[in-house]
Every structure is written in structure tokens, then in C-alpha cells.
Amino acid sequence: MGFFIEPQPISLIVSMTALHDLPATELLAAYQRHELSPVDVMQSVIDHVSQWEPRLCATYLYRPEKALAQARESEARWRQNTPAGLLDGIPVTIKENIATQGDPLPAGTAAVKLVPAAADAPPAARMREAGAIMFSKTTMPDYGMLSSGLSSFHHLSRNPWDLSKGPGGSSAGGGAAAAAGYGPLHIGTDIGGSLRLPASWCGIYSLKPSLGRVPIDPPYTGRAAGPMTRTVADSALMMQVLSAPDVRDTMSLPAQDIAWGMVATTTPDFIRGKRIGLLMDAGCGLPLEPEVRAAVERAADLLQQAGALVTPMQPFMTQAMLDGMDHFWRMRSFTDMQALSSEQRDKVLPYIRAWADSAQGMSGTEVFHASQQFHLVRVATVRATSAFDYVISPVAPHVAFKAEWAGPTNDPMRPLEHIGFTVPYNMSEQPAASVNCGYTAAGLPIGLQIAGARFDDLGVLQLSRAFEQIRDPQHPWPQPPAA
């Protein structure tokens, strides 16, 4: 089904909004009407990146000249009314652990040998086929195992809302780039919250799809690729492209004709009558900060006023579940690092080395019991959420923290205390999104998590779009600091 692009008064929009700030849905409408050129849009993004990037450090393999060449090719196609695909001429960034042909995948760490990728991974392939301009990769921490922009390979990535804070992770650069206005579309990955956490702390929107909805290579339990955008409609637009099948993902879902275009026309009426669970206690990890609690409770009140049936929930995660997953991932990382030379291991962040090395004395029985927690989380999550159409909660118990920290505790022995709200939906394979629902007194964004039943990615997007229309007024997007 083709994506419906709602008619917009493009001339008025363009006159009031910088081109790099325009949503992809509006750019496409302007391209169709020959009111904008992909060259002008790409140049606007490049100029804006040049102002931000020395302080933000969100990009890897940033290639402005190549992007302009692609934009000129796109401009020629639009002049002939023969776009290459749904996203022809739209700027996009891709997280660096998603392979793009000919480019190395450092996985955020200086320990990895830089070997060019043989082929595009499925998300990159779909973007290229759709005509999008992939002008840069984005940064991530070592092995994607931190919720920050701290990396032994990349420069330290920062949060555009407050440069003393980090953007979150592991899709660190993607979150920062989306909030800073590096064009409208960005792709990240998520295995415990790596899309939703930076989305929450950077004030953007992101969807972690149902497992297998967006094919990825290599697949892994709980691992998903998904969109990072400023608007819900742009994420739905990306899903139409990203959800195309790819045989390389052995966990991928069958091809399905999903009406992603319905998201753009969803109204607050969608909320009426929906059974929504309200989860304010993760059952494990760090305590909920008062400002986060207030913002999520305000979101619940707005949904209830719009006709939802909101019911408080009891926690279903336990500290034992969280610790078990942590210990299993420690052993996985310890095993991976044992395969490295001593010279390579020395290049890994000390925090990551300390975390992984702590698994050295674990017995086989301990590793087995740790591995079983993933299934227990899955069962508990499905059981607790099945009584509702959707479940809302904080994305994280706190807001963005110091940029130089590896995580909110900065303690390698307590590394996952902030993912109690997000990681359950990776294990249960359910879709879950982060949408901004407020700000702290200091102006830092706060994310609302919206989770749905397995395979109901469209419904999560629709509820997100409906909430987007009833939430309190948003703060202006951050601007580059003065030189």
C-alpha cells in the first residue's frame, strides 16, 4: 500500500521553517510539487551539521560531497517525475553497526579491525533502494553495550539539549543527530532500550518494532532496528520501507501489507475506549525521579481525558531477572574479548573490560540460570500486558546524565539499573516506542514509553500519533551554540 502524503501548504511551511528541520513527509510533498529541490535540502543539512558537529560529535563517515552528488541525481529524477523510490532525495543517517557496503563496522570500539563490509545490511539496502541519501553513519559506544555516547573509537557524543549531558545509547549519534536537525530520518538499533533511551533523553520519537518486523543482519535475540525521527509520521514512513522482507534475517516476519499511511491521518479519536495499563514501577533498578513521574502521570491524565481507560499496573520485572540478563551478557562479552589479542583488549574501554571480566569466575550452572531469565522476562511481560491494548510507562527512571559517564550509575557492577522499563519488550518481541511527554525544570526531555501487543506496530504508531496531538506544547528544538 502506498504511503499517503497529506497535502500541505508547502510554500508557507518552507518560508517559516529551515529546510533541514522539515519532516520527510513535507519534503516529499514539496518534491512532488516541484517546490523544493533535494539539492537545496541536502545543502541546508550540510550547513547545519557544520555548525553543530564540532561540539556534538554524532557522525561517522560523514560524506557531504557524495551526498550532494546523490542529491543532484535525485533532483533530476524529480524533474522528470520519476523518483527512484518512496524516499528519493530524503537525507538519512544510519547507525554505524548497520553495514553499508565498502565501509568498516568498528562497533564503537578501537579494538575492532576495520574491514570493509561486503554488502549493505537490510535496513541500509532498503534505504538505498528507496532513493534516500545516506550521507553519514552515526556513533555508538563500545560494542553497543552502554547507554551513552562514550566510545574508545569515536569522539564523545553529546546531547544537543545540554552539551554537558550525553544523548543516551547505544544509538547515541542517531538520537543526537535527530534532535539537532541533521535531516529528518535516522536509523538505530535496540537490544535493551538502545532506540528508546536516546529518544527519551533527546526528546525525539523512536519505535522499537516487533522482533523481525524490520529485517536485520546479523539477527540476535531481542535485537531490532528502527526509526529515529522528530515526528511519528516520519517513523511510519520509514517503516513502510524498512519492513520489506529480507531472507538474511532468520527471525524476520512474513511480508505483510500494513497500512502504515493510516498513521499520518490518525486523530485523537483513536484513543477513545482503548484499555491502557499504566506502569510506574519497573520492579527493579533505579528509583523513579519525581519529574519523570510527574510527566508520565500527566501523559496518563491526558490519555484518560481523551477517552482511554487507564488502569495502574503492578510491576512484573524483578531484580533477579535484570541481574540474570546482565550476567549472561557479561559472559557473552567476556567470551568475545577472550578471542581478541591482548593488544586489542587493551583498546576496549576500561569500563567494558571491567564489566566483562567480572564474569570470568562464573560456573556453567550460573551461566545457565542467568540465561533462563530471558525467557522468564518474556513470559512475565506477555502475561502482565495481555489485559491491555497498550501499556504506558516511563522510558527510563531518570533524564540525561553526564556525557562522560558510561551509564547513569557509572558503575560497571551496576550497568543495567536503568533499563527495567525497556528491556522486557525486547525479550517479549512486542513493539514499544518513546514519545516526548514533557521536560524537567532544567529543560531536559522526558520520554513516555508506549508498548503494544506483539505484531501491533501500526497500533503503537497510531497511539503515538494521537498522543502527539494532545500532549502539552513542545519546546523549540535546540540550536547550535555560538561559535
Side-chain angles (χ1 to χ4, degrees):
M1 177 176 292
F3 193 89
F4 175 74
I5 300 173
E6 187 175 5
Q8 303 283 340
I10 297 299
S11 298
L12 178 60
I13 292 170
V14 171
S15 69
M16 297 176 61
T17 308
L19 299 186
H20 59 262
D21 281 331
L22 286 173
T25 52
E26 293 175 11
L27 288 176
L28 287 171
Y31 291 170
Q32 289 173 349
R33 298 173 182 176
H34 304 286
E35 294 183 8
L36 276 183
S37 162
V39 176
D40 293 334
V41 172
M42 194 67 243
Q43 187 64 61
S44 177
V45 171
I46 291 168
D47 293 344
H48 193 63
V49 170
S50 70
Q51 296 179 62
W52 262 121
E53 190 58 9
R55 302 289 297 279
L56 213 58
C57 300
T59 65
Y60 168 62
L61 298 180
Y62 172 51
R63 294 163 174 160
E65 291 305 318
K66 185 176 180 180
L68 283 172
Q70 292 179 54
R72 286 189 286 270
E73 294 171 357
S74 175
E75 179 185 65
R77 291 192 292 269
W78 280 109
R79 282 177 177 169
Q80 298 298 319
N81 295 318
T82 56
L86 186 63
L87 301 178
D88 200 341
I90 303 297
V92 62
T93 73
I94 300 181
K95 189 176 179 180
E96 62 108 307
N97 66 340
I98 298 174
T100 47
Q101 186 175 27
D103 298 326
L105 282 78
T109 178
V112 170
K113 294 179 180 179
L114 299 181
V115 179
D120 287 338
R126 301 296 87 78
M127 288 292 114
R128 203 181 300 277
E129 292 161 3
I133 301 173
M134 297 188 292
F135 70 94
S136 185
K137 306 296 283 286
T138 50
T139 60
M140 61 182 284
D142 284 52
Y143 297 105
M145 292 309 299
L146 301 177
S147 293
S148 78
L150 187 63
S151 165
S152 62
F153 181 83
H154 302 293
H155 292 296
L156 177 64
S157 300
R158 295 181 181 272
N159 192 318
W161 291 94
D162 180 343
L163 291 171
S164 73
K165 309 296 185 184
S170 62
S171 302
Y182 288 21
L185 306 184
H186 311 269
I187 304 175
T189 62
D190 188 315
I191 200 170
S194 290
L195 282 163
R196 290 157 288 161
L197 292 166
S200 175
W201 297 330
C202 291
I204 63 167
Y205 183 76
S206 185
L207 171 71
K208 180 208 75 67
S210 299
L211 184 72
R213 179 70 70 204
V214 173
I216 193 167
D217 183 32
Y220 186 82
T221 300
R223 185 178 187 228
M228 307 179 80
T229 62
R230 286 182 171 184
T231 70
V232 178
D234 271 3
S235 281
L237 178 67
M238 292 181 75
M239 285 299 295
Q240 181 171 340
V241 173
L242 292 172
S243 61
D246 195 299
V247 296
R248 291 174 289 176
D249 187 345
T250 55
M251 298 181 180
S252 64
L253 298 175
Q256 189 175 354
D257 186 14
I258 297 174
W260 303 109
M262 293 175 61
V263 174
T265 56
T266 298
T267 71
D269 287 343
F270 180 84
I271 300 169
R272 188 168 303 280
K274 296 295 187 294
R275 300 167 301 158
I276 295 180
L278 172 62
L279 182 67
M280 298 300 295
D281 181 356
C284 57
L286 294 170
L288 193 60
E289 291 183 353
E291 287 184 297
V292 175
R293 177 180 295 278
V296 173
E297 288 178 344
R298 168 63 176 164
D301 287 344
L302 290 172
L303 288 165
Q304 189 160 284
Q305 292 170 28
L309 307 174
V310 179
T311 303
M313 295 175 63
Q314 294 299 309
F316 53 86
M317 282 282 290
T318 67
Q319 192 66 42
M321 291 174 179
L322 188 64
D323 290 345
M325 291 188 288
D326 173 23
H327 293 159
F328 181 83
W329 281 331
R330 292 184 197 215
M331 179 54 76
R332 185 193 69 175
S333 295
F334 175 73
T335 303
D336 288 343
M337 288 186 197
Q338 289 301 106
L340 300 176
S341 68
S342 58
E343 182 181 2
Q344 287 175 297
R345 280 197 300 274
D346 288 344
K347 294 179 180 179
V348 178
L349 278 178
Y351 181 102
I352 294 290
R353 292 205 309 270
W355 172 71
D357 286 347
S358 68
Q360 186 169 5
M362 288 180 66
S363 68
T365 300
E366 288 173 320
V367 174
F368 171 77
H369 285 304
S371 72
Q372 295 309 293
Q373 299 306 310
F374 292 90
H375 181 68
L376 294 179
V377 170
R378 178 190 182 97
V379 172
T381 306
V382 173
R383 180 183 296 128
T385 60
S386 61
F388 305 100
D389 298 311
Y390 303 98
V391 171
I392 61 171
S393 72
V395 174
H398 52 81
V399 293
F401 50 90
K402 290 182 180 180
E404 294 80 9
W405 283 15
T409 65
N410 207 32
D411 180 354
M413 298 302 103
R414 298 175 60 224
L416 304 184
E417 298 294 291
H418 57 292
I419 67 169
F421 288 110
T422 52
V423 72
Y425 301 111
N426 293 82
M427 299 309 120
S428 68
E429 305 183 16
Q430 295 170 243
S434 174
V435 59
N436 190 62
C437 67
Y439 305 86
T440 66
L444 292 174
I446 299 168
L448 174 73
Q449 181 169 244
I450 299 175
R454 191 178 176 206
F455 311 134
D456 189 22
D457 304 75
L458 178 60
V460 169
L461 284 162
Q462 288 183 284
L463 184 59
S464 300
R465 173 61 187 138
F467 176 74
E468 190 179 45
Q469 295 170 76
I470 65 169
R471 66 185 174 182
D472 293 326
Q474 299 294 286
H475 290 192
W477 292 105
Q479 295 302 310

